[in-house]
């Protein structure tokens, strides 16, 4: 997952370097209204390794591969997704996603409800840019309502 390559989308308009939360009602129907949706388009670098297993306590995710392919592990079920394929990851499902292939992968990722996901990734990006990765455990603890690591 390449945070530097992440571009956040507002509805269908791509805003380079921008971000927004949008109402999900139009996308998901009245039963979901008025949940917030965070939609992100990102690139996964080639020859990646599996990130730590994790889950989201109160959020569902949907991933759509736009280019390339990704490997996904959800609750121990590992498979590859090709361009055009999607996967739904329900809240509390332990998962990982990475690109072990030789070409970059581009993915659209949705989180419902958005919660503090944007703030979590902004904090992680800041640690990465400032080379303060030793503070990673503090950030994970601070955002325990959004992101929980799973150790085997």
């Amino acid at each position: 997952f390449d945070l530097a390559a992440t571009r956040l989308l507002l509805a269908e308009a791509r805003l380079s370097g921008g971000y927004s939360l949008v109402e999900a009602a139009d996308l998901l129907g009245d039963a979901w209204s008025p949940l917030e949706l965070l939609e992100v388009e990102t690139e996964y670098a080639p020859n990646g390794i599996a990130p730590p297993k994790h889950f989201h306590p109160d959020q569902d995710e949907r991933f759509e591969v736009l280019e390339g392919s990704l490997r996904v592990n959800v609750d121990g079920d590992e498979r590859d997704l090709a361009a055009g394929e999607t996967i739904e990851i329900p809240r509390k499902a332990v998962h990982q996603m990475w690109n072990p292939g030789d070409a970059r992968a581009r993915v659209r990722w949705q989180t419902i409800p958005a919660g503090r996901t944007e703030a979590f990734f902004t904090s992680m990006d800041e640690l990465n840019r400032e080379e303060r990765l030793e503070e990673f455990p503090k950030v994970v603890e601070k955002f325990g309502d959004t992101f929980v690591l799973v150790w085997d």
Side-chain angles (χ1 to χ4, degrees):
F1 183 74
D2 185 351
L3 290 173
T6 299
R7 294 177 300 239
L8 302 171
L9 305 177
L10 168 60
E12 295 179 9
R14 294 182 184 176
L15 303 175
S16 179
Y19 66 88
S20 182
L21 301 176
V22 297
E23 292 297 317
D26 291 339
L27 298 172
L28 299 174
D30 291 335
W32 288 84
S33 181
L35 298 177
E36 293 177 325
L37 165 72
L38 177 66
E39 187 170 273
V40 176
E41 187 175 309
T42 191
E43 294 180 0
Y44 286 74
N47 304 308
I49 60 171
K53 292 178 184 176
H54 67 278
F55 69 90
H56 309 284
D58 297 313
Q59 298 166 302
D60 301 311
E61 293 182 299
R62 179 181 189 275
F63 292 86
E64 176 185 6
V65 179
L66 303 173
E67 287 179 34
S69 64
L70 285 181
R71 183 154 300 148
V72 180
N73 183 333
V74 179
D75 286 334
D77 180 25
E78 190 171 299
R79 66 184 177 116
D80 291 329
L81 297 176
E85 293 185 304
T86 62
I87 188 167
E88 309 274 338
I89 301 175
R91 61 194 68 199
K92 296 186 174 112
V94 175
H95 60 281
Q96 301 165 284
M97 187 169 293
W98 69 101
N99 178 9
D102 294 332
R104 76 180 177 103
R106 195 166 54 90
V107 176
R108 180 172 295 126
W109 158 51
Q110 297 175 331
T111 303
I112 303 165
R116 298 192 313 144
T117 302
E118 179 221 335
F120 172 72
F121 280 107
T122 299
S123 296
M124 293 303 298
D125 185 48
E126 183 179 302
L127 292 182
N128 188 44
R129 290 175 192 266
E130 296 175 5
E131 299 181 4
R132 296 185 294 127
L133 295 180
E134 71 280 357
E135 296 177 36
F136 175 75
K138 287 185 203 174
V139 172
V140 169
E141 183 177 339
K142 177 181 174 183
F143 288 95
D145 62 324
T146 303
F147 182 92
V148 178
L149 286 172
V150 175
W151 304 103
D152 290 330

